[in-house]
Amino acid sequence: MPEGSSTPWAYFLIRLLFKFVLKIFYGTIVVEGVENIPETGRPCIVCANHTNSLTDALLLVTAIPSRKRNMLRLTAKSTQFGKKTLTSWLVESAGTVPIKRRKDFADGTADNSNAMAKLIEALELGDAVCVFPEGASRYHPTIAPLKTGTARIVSDTLSRNREQPDFEVSILTCSITYMHRQHFRSDVLVTFHPPLTFRPRDHPELLAPVNYDQIRLVTAQMHRQIAQGTFDAPTWDLIRAARIATPLYAPLGTRMSLGDYVRVTRTFLEAFKARRLPADPSSSNGETSDADQAETDEIIKLERELKVYQAELYKLGIRDDRIRRPLLRPVILYRMLLRLSWAVFLFSLSIAGLILWTPIALTTFYAVHSFKKTGPVWDTWDEIAQYKLIYGLVSGLCVWAGATLLTLPIAPVTAVLVPVLMWMSLRWFEDAVSAFRAFVALARLVRVRSATLARLHATRADLRARVLELGVNGLGLPEDPETFFVENGEKQKGRVTGRWAGRAKYFSVRRRRKRDWNETLRLYEQFDYPADET
């Protein structure tokens, strides 16, 4: 069996550096299906959905454990190469293979035969190569039709090794789901699916000369696997509705892992999406029964009313959980005092570290603000996280170096204490923001009239009953999610496991204890999907 290429020092450095940076930027990174990753020496093509530009590649590099693969050979658009920028240096130093996109070469000179040959050679050495089969990164709610390049690489590799009937090459599909891809301290789920494995002996239909229908069939298999692990919808509205349904089904405080949260939300999303599709003309002559039509109408009505309910909550500045469990005004005032006191205390603790964070925040804000002006939402938002990571890394290193130089007599101590202080101040500030966000929500709740709260409470009770009916009886979800996910849910990093575990892990370098996977480092709820194009 091939042993795989040796790991370049630049790749090792990039993986180590960005593993640290990504864990700072994202509050929780949960990786599922690590057991599905073929080990070093087994040729493998890693394919994932592509919505976050260079960040997707960095995430895959750090998500694949070094014990499984010593390196992941990346591909990137050719326009990233040959520039005097840190991004270009990172891309080239990691041994990345440039891919020419047709849209970048209007004169028709986009020839990738040399790139394909390099990828095939890497596979024959036993390497893992990374390909984003959508062909481009875009901020869209749906996965774009996959290019057939990956399946053609498999076919060409098998054809070159047809004399070795047991030669094996795998396609490892991966689904990347960002809760809020561009926001600081949000969460991300990386799911590796069981690999599609091909051998000359078992798949003679992929040997040259190959019927192109077989290439399309492999590509369709890849698309199904990637889509089944993430949010894939024709509009942002459908994703928004599904994410509103989930906390009604499994209310705040339910001990769900991030993977469970994504799967439940996707279940509702598929139900909403299915009712938007036209009837299958092959069944019942394309006719829809009265019962089916009534069910479709009810689901569409539920989707619409969920969005109306959330829009009213957003306008009032309160959360669904405050409607679920009404509080007496004295209790609200008491909790406001506690939340404000706790926020002030934590903010006071974090002031020293926040001074160090200020240059980093200002640098990234200016860079992102300027970048947003360069194009429309769909063509710029997918690169915001990349800009924040790169500019945050550079400015962070400058702050660390500057603090070390200014305290030269005790530089060895400062070099260690500055990162520790910055990390702990971030943790304290994150909790301070969370506490102040709760204080603001309670303050807004006081101003809402009792009649409005009563009406919203009744509306929520009706919506929850209908969501449970759909989820349990229509979609097969557990009847009692608050019990089910504690007893049977995925036991993985990021899962809230109770007060003792939350307190014991408070100083963990991995994450802050969260109750809601929608949290970010913001004073308001995030439902900031862009408006759907018309």
Side-chain angles (χ1 to χ4, degrees), residues 37-337:
I37 302 173
E39 296 182 352
T40 297
R42 297 178 60 187
C44 173
I45 306 175
V46 180
C47 300
N49 53 311
H50 199 22
T51 61
N52 211 1
S53 194
L54 183 61
T55 307
D56 290 333
L58 295 174
L59 194 63
L60 289 176
V61 165
T62 58
I64 296 178
S66 56
R67 69 178 185 277
K68 298 287 288 189
R69 307 289 318 195
N70 65 323
M71 69 173 291
L72 178 64
R73 191 176 295 278
L74 302 174
T75 56
K77 56 185 179 183
S78 59
T79 53
Q80 294 272 24
F81 292 74
K83 297 180 179 179
K84 295 180 180 180
T85 63
L86 177 61
T87 301
S88 182
W89 178 83
L90 289 172
V91 168
E92 294 178 21
S93 299
T96 305
V97 177
I99 301 293
K100 295 181 180 179
R101 303 184 303 176
R102 291 180 182 176
K103 60 174 291 184
D104 298 324
F105 293 85
D107 57 358
T109 60
D111 181 12
N112 284 308
S113 56
N114 187 45
M116 295 300 104
K118 288 183 178 180
L119 294 178
I120 292 173
E121 290 173 4
L123 289 172
E124 291 176 335
L125 290 173
D127 289 348
V129 301
C130 177
V131 175
F132 294 104
E134 289 178 88
S137 173
R138 284 292 180 269
Y139 193 85
H140 283 308
T142 186
I143 297 174
L146 304 190
K147 309 294 184 183
T148 57
T150 302
R152 286 188 280 116
I153 291 174
V154 170
S155 175
D156 291 347
T157 305
L158 292 180
S159 298
R160 283 180 40 149
N161 293 273
R162 65 173 71 228
E163 302 302 325
Q164 304 178 54
D166 291 325
F167 179 85
E168 178 181 292
V169 60
S170 299
I171 297 177
L172 177 67
T173 56
C174 174
S175 303
I176 304 175
T177 308
Y178 298 93
M179 295 299 99
H180 299 285
R181 73 200 73 195
Q182 75 274 24
H183 288 311
F184 193 42
R185 303 302 290 167
S186 61
D187 305 304
V188 56
L189 175 70
V190 181
T191 303
F192 293 103
H193 303 287
L196 304 172
T197 303
F198 304 92
R199 300 182 184 89
R201 171 184 295 168
D202 302 327
H203 299 85
E205 71 278 5
L206 292 177
L207 301 180
V210 62
N211 185 329
Y212 210 75
D213 288 341
Q214 298 298 327
I215 299 295
R216 294 190 185 95
L217 182 61
V218 172
T219 305
Q221 288 180 286
M222 294 164 48
H223 193 287
R224 281 195 297 271
Q225 279 196 335
I226 294 173
Q228 73 181 11
T230 189
F231 303 145
D232 180 31
T235 66
W236 291 112
D237 254 1
L238 286 173
I239 296 178
R240 188 182 290 109
R243 294 192 68 175
I244 297 167
T246 299
L248 290 174
Y249 166 74
L252 184 68
T254 302
R255 299 178 186 176
M256 298 176 69
S257 69
L258 180 56
D260 289 332
Y261 173 85
V262 169
R263 282 183 282 275
V264 168
T265 303
R266 186 183 176 279
T267 300
F268 284 113
L269 174 60
E270 291 301 306
F272 294 149
K273 187 169 69 173
R275 300 305 167 176
R276 294 286 190 94
L277 299 176
D280 184 359
S282 65
S283 61
S284 303
N285 297 319
E287 296 179 359
T288 304
S289 67
D290 291 343
D292 288 342
Q293 186 59 50
E295 182 181 358
T296 296
D297 292 343
E298 169 58 27
I299 292 178
I300 293 175
K301 181 182 177 183
L302 174 61
E303 175 204 331
R304 182 173 62 250
E305 292 181 6
L306 283 170
K307 288 184 288 189
V308 171
Y309 171 70
Q310 180 58 49
E312 187 166 5
L313 292 184
Y314 191 78
K315 182 179 179 180
L316 293 172
I318 57 179
R319 301 182 62 175
D320 170 71
D321 191 58
R322 301 304 179 191
I323 303 300
R324 177 172 72 103
R325 297 185 295 188
L327 300 173
L328 298 175
R329 291 189 180 269
V331 175
I332 295 176
L333 295 174
Y334 171 70
R335 291 191 177 186
M336 285 176 60
L337 178 62

Side-chain angles (χ1 to χ4, degrees), residues 391-403:
Y391 280 90
L393 171 62
V394 174
S395 56
L397 290 175
C398 289
V399 167
W400 174 75

